[in-house]
Amino acid sequence: MINVENSMFSRFFTVPPLLIAGFAASLLSACESTSPVGFQVPLTRLELPEANSRPLSIGAAIGSNNYVLLSPDQNTISPVNRQAEFGHRGDLDPTSEDDDLGDAFDVELDQLFSTRLDLQPISWFSIGIRTHADGLVSGSAKAYLLGRDIKTKPRQGDYSLAVTHGWGHSRATTNGSNTSTTVVRDYGDAALIGGYRFQPNLLVYGGPFYSKHDYRGSHTRTGITQGVSGDVYQRGANIGVALDVDQRFRLMLEFVRAAQTARNGNAAPLREYTNEWGLAFEFLI
């Protein structure tokens, strides 16, 4: 009788350790950090059509929380020939608080910052440099076609017009569990910007733009390497307001709407419309 009870007792307690081990393994698997692959595709412009009254300006912007996602987790889903997705910074950072693709402000602000520096060597032309949160460094050139003489003060009724050209480059490698993906990206951009001053210190501006990101690279899984390539097109328009707080400090607020197309390898292209807000400040030196 005792042997029977001991036998039943032992069989009863033989199963739970196996269940516990399996449960623990599934927990570890679920808790394993993901390794998404993607890069930033900025939408906010924050460029003015007026020439500055001073030769140098420095500033920073908050926005550009627009990303293209090639794989949500390269450990389990290869980015090769997979249909791309558009999302926000939170999709590339598992530690981010961004749970909602529609809410850019859930992301830490340092992930949305970009910096800018512009030099205006002559009254009708300026060049600049921009740095972005994901490592993209871009240059810009702007020609001022119409507008007031920079030696005169801004007045109500002033109008302005400018064209811009931007270019940039980035390289990033993301490592996962037995996987690694490298993406090299080249960026080009063109825009037409018009402006009108409703008040001496208040400029309304906006216009159409076109951007293209070409990327290429490689994805390696357990020693096997495959090529990654594709492009992202953006066609849209922006409208914004610039407030001159004084002669040396300016604030800008902008809204952008664009049609985006992402093509990754031979996968079906993804097309969608996206809205974005941006905020910037500049110091004139």
Side-chain angles (χ1 to χ4, degrees):
M1 186 71 178
I2 294 177
N3 290 336
V4 171
E5 288 180 346
N6 288 340
S7 176
M8 292 177 62
F9 185 82
S10 63
R11 279 184 292 177
F12 179 77
F13 282 101
T14 298
V15 177
L18 296 177
L19 289 176
I20 292 172
F23 181 69
S26 65
L27 270 180
L28 289 174
S29 176
C31 294
E32 183 181 355
S33 62
T34 60
S35 180
V37 177
F39 53 88
Q40 188 179 20
V41 282
L43 277 176
T44 48
R45 319 296 303 165
L46 298 164
E47 298 279 356
L48 298 184
E50 280 190 349
N52 289 325
S53 58
R54 298 179 181 274
L56 184 67
S57 66
I58 58 173
I62 300 173
S64 296
N65 191 26
N66 184 54
Y67 282 73
V68 63
L69 189 68
L70 305 183
S71 171
D73 182 9
Q74 66 173 321
N75 296 326
T76 57
I77 302 174
S78 171
V80 178
N81 295 324
R82 177 183 179 273
Q83 187 179 45
E85 304 171 51
F86 288 110
H88 286 164
R89 173 67 189 183
D91 301 324
L92 295 179
D93 184 0
T95 66
S96 172
E97 298 176 359
D98 186 7
D99 299 316
D100 182 359
L101 296 185
D103 190 354
F105 297 99
D106 284 344
V107 184
E108 292 80 358
L109 288 182
D110 63 348
Q111 296 175 342
L112 304 180
F113 261 113
S114 61
T115 60
R116 52 182 53 213
L117 185 148
D118 289 285
L119 177 65
Q120 187 176 295
I122 52 180
S123 62
W124 56 270
F125 180 77
S126 66
I127 54 175
I129 188 170
R130 311 282 186 264
T131 63
H132 301 269
D134 76 331
L136 173 65
V137 178
S138 60
S140 68
K142 186 188 304 183
Y144 304 98
L145 306 179
L146 297 172
R148 64 180 176 84
D149 189 320
I150 61 173
K151 296 179 181 179
T152 64
K153 292 184 178 181
R155 297 171 299 180
Q156 182 179 354
D158 284 348
Y159 57 87
S160 50
L161 184 68
V163 293
T164 67
H165 171 59
W167 62 94
H169 180 82
S170 69
R171 179 188 178 93
T173 298
T174 306
N175 295 313
S177 176
N178 296 319
T179 61
S180 178
T181 305
T182 297
V183 175
V184 179
R185 179 251 306 256
D186 293 309
Y187 160 74
D189 175 273
L192 178 69
I193 320 167
Y196 182 83
R197 283 196 175 269
F198 284 88
Q199 296 293 334
N201 66 337
L202 182 64
L203 173 70
V204 176
Y205 68 94
F209 68 88
Y210 170 83
S211 299
K212 184 182 180 184
H213 302 256
D214 289 305
Y215 62 90
R216 61 199 180 278
S218 61
H219 171 69
T220 302
R221 178 188 296 271
T222 60
I224 300 174
T225 300
Q226 295 177 283
V228 176
S229 64
D231 49 45
V232 180
Y233 294 88
Q234 298 168 316
R235 301 174 180 87
N238 68 324
I239 185 169
V241 294
L243 177 65
D244 296 329
V245 179
D246 57 32
Q247 293 183 349
R248 291 181 177 269
F249 182 66
R250 173 187 295 141
L251 292 172
M252 288 177 278
L253 177 66
E254 179 179 291
F255 173 77
V256 184
R257 181 168 175 79
Q260 301 189 109
T261 301
R263 299 185 298 190
N264 185 37
N266 58 22
L270 174 69
R271 298 180 177 90
E272 68 175 41
Y273 284 90
T274 303
N275 303 328
E276 188 166 88
W277 290 89
L279 176 68
F281 63 87
E282 283 186 340
F283 291 97
L284 306 181
I285 301 174

